[in-house]
Amino acid sequence: MTIYKLCQRGLTIATFFSALTKKPPAMKLHAAALLVTFLLGIFLVQMVEGSVGSQSMRKVSCVNLTTRQLNIRNLISYEKQQLPVDAVMFINRKGIKICVSPHQKWVQTAIKKIDQRRTTQGK
């Protein structure tokens, strides 16, 4: 389009050049999508780093409980748990974690024995 035709339509040279330098809407949308994706990526990385560093998360939790009685002499530690189920997780000498119901009589006895061992070893 020549300058003469622009003047006939009532357009100025500045309007003509500004129309030439404008990006098409598709490119603007593409650049905006890339920017949003980049910012979301940074946000997610920050969220993951924050949650891992600020919260202590138990790696194993009891879902299924065993019904058999364990040998108390082989148990070295325990952890109590209330969610997702009420349970006691015993850890034996080999490092195996076994979940049982805390309402069984032998479980209460085993917890007392382990606590006694801890207090005598600490003295």
Side-chain angles (χ1 to χ4, degrees), residues 68-77 90-93 104-117:
R68 64 184 176 97
Q69 183 172 344
L70 304 174
N71 187 348
I72 295 175
R73 288 177 284 177
N74 291 334
L75 303 176
I76 59 170
S77 182
F90 285 114
I91 303 169
N92 69 8
R93 293 179 196 269
Q104 299 177 36
K105 188 171 182 172
W106 74 267
V107 173
Q108 298 302 320
T109 306
I111 289 173
K112 287 178 185 175
K113 292 273 188 187
I114 293 170
D115 288 341
Q116 285 174 355
R117 282 188 222 148

Side-chain angles (χ1 to χ4, degrees), residues 30-79:
H30 181 70
L34 283 173
L35 181 64
V36 168
T37 305
F38 177 74
L39 292 175
L40 279 174
I42 290 174
F43 178 74
L44 287 174
V45 167
Q46 291 296 323
M47 289 292 291
V48 168
E49 287 177 358
S51 66
V52 170
S54 64
Q55 296 178 1
S56 62
M57 298 179 68
R58 185 182 294 177
K59 293 181 182 176
V60 178
S61 63
C62 297
V63 178
N64 298 323
L65 305 178
T66 186
T67 55
R68 64 184 176 97
Q69 183 172 344
L70 304 174
N71 187 348
I72 295 175
R73 288 177 284 177
N74 291 334
L75 303 176
I76 59 170
S77 182
Y78 70 92
E79 293 178 18

